[in-house]
Amino acid sequence: MMFKRPRLRPVSRLVNVGLAACVIFISACGSEPETSEAGIEPTPAPTVDVTADPAEKLQAVWSTRALSAPVVDLALSGGNNPLLAAVLDGGNMQLFDLDGQRLTDPVDVGIIAIADGQPVTLDGNALTIFPGIDADGFINAYLYSSQLGEPVGIDVLPDADAIGLCAGPAAEGGALMRVGYWTEAAPQALIVGHITQTGDALGWETLDRIESNSPLGACLIIAAARPIIRSAGLSSDLASLSDADTQTIIGLGADGQLGAIAQDNSATALPVRDGISVKAPTQITALSALSDVQFGGYPDGVIVIGGEIDGQAKLVFVEPTGLFGEAAE
């Protein structure tokens, strides 16, 4: 259910960072985008063969304790201090490390969707930015650092009317990250842009508009490649895992199960095996993945899924044991 809340806007156009542990922001609009054709572009590396023994590919290895509400969406950020952000039913956001330890309590920021984050340095302060959508359809930057203590939301694209989004590294130098989103008014069009920094301000630069023949359900941004999109009836989340030779696109289907997405848009089931003491949810509600994990002991990368286990909402950490051949020692 959509809900309203007091807007989480800075009281002025610029907010001091420094010792006050906030960040300097300003919102700006970009130019009109160009239009591109929709579809899945070839990925930089061949998709791994997932047809053999799919039940051996993914295994649950760790989970959080019970959460305060069902999991709506998930996002990961990489770098030296990787973070896991969970959107919970009711507009709360909660942050974890990759040991599943809680970094914050649930914080009511009115968020309904989130995309993968990027570590950045703004005004000399190390922060992580997660782009997300609030209940009003605004695209916000949700910021976190240990100095802030909890995630803080700042408007980036007010009145965007957004209903879905994805994010990844910037396509060119100078930008902080690339974000794609679609709207209530045009659910078949992915608008792609950069979140930028100019001096002590953040802004938005529109880059592209990708048209599809049907409403979008998920998108994925990988490095400088063209965004991957999936129709609403096919996927509600997309994630990518890669090593030096292969890349696998993983989607969360309408049936609450994971599948490996091929170039022809078909999906091969990727069931998640229970671990010795860790169960996987039978119905998955959210998905994120990180290939280069610099903390947490995941040499092949990690997949995080959300769902209900024995009546309790949890986050489950999944090892991609067979996606890239033999698991790393």
Side-chain angles (χ1 to χ4, degrees), residues 236-263:
S236 60
D237 264 331
L238 289 174
S240 171
L241 279 175
S242 62
D243 66 2
D245 302 315
T246 58
Q247 184 174 74
T248 302
I249 308 302
I250 301 170
L252 175 58
D255 59 355
Q257 305 301 313
L258 301 184
I261 312 301
Q263 290 294 326

Side-chain angles (χ1 to χ4, degrees), residues 164-209:
L165 83 168
C166 59
E172 58 189 39
L176 297 176
M177 63 193 311
R178 190 161 46 135
V179 176
Y181 71 95
W182 60 100
T183 69
E184 186 79 40
Q188 77 289 346
L190 183 71
I191 300 169
V192 184
H194 275 151
I195 295 178
T196 61
Q197 181 188 12
T198 304
D200 292 331
L202 287 187
W204 172 265
E205 176 191 8
T206 303
L207 302 173
D208 198 5
R209 181 185 176 100

Side-chain angles (χ1 to χ4, degrees), residues 38-41 47 212 214 218 228-235 238 249 259-268:
I40 295 181
E41 288 289 296
T47 301
S212 176
S214 58
I228 295 170
I229 60 176
R230 291 273 283 177
S231 298
L234 298 178
S235 296
L238 289 174
I249 308 302
I261 312 301
Q263 290 294 326
D264 64 1
N265 227 14
S266 63
T268 300

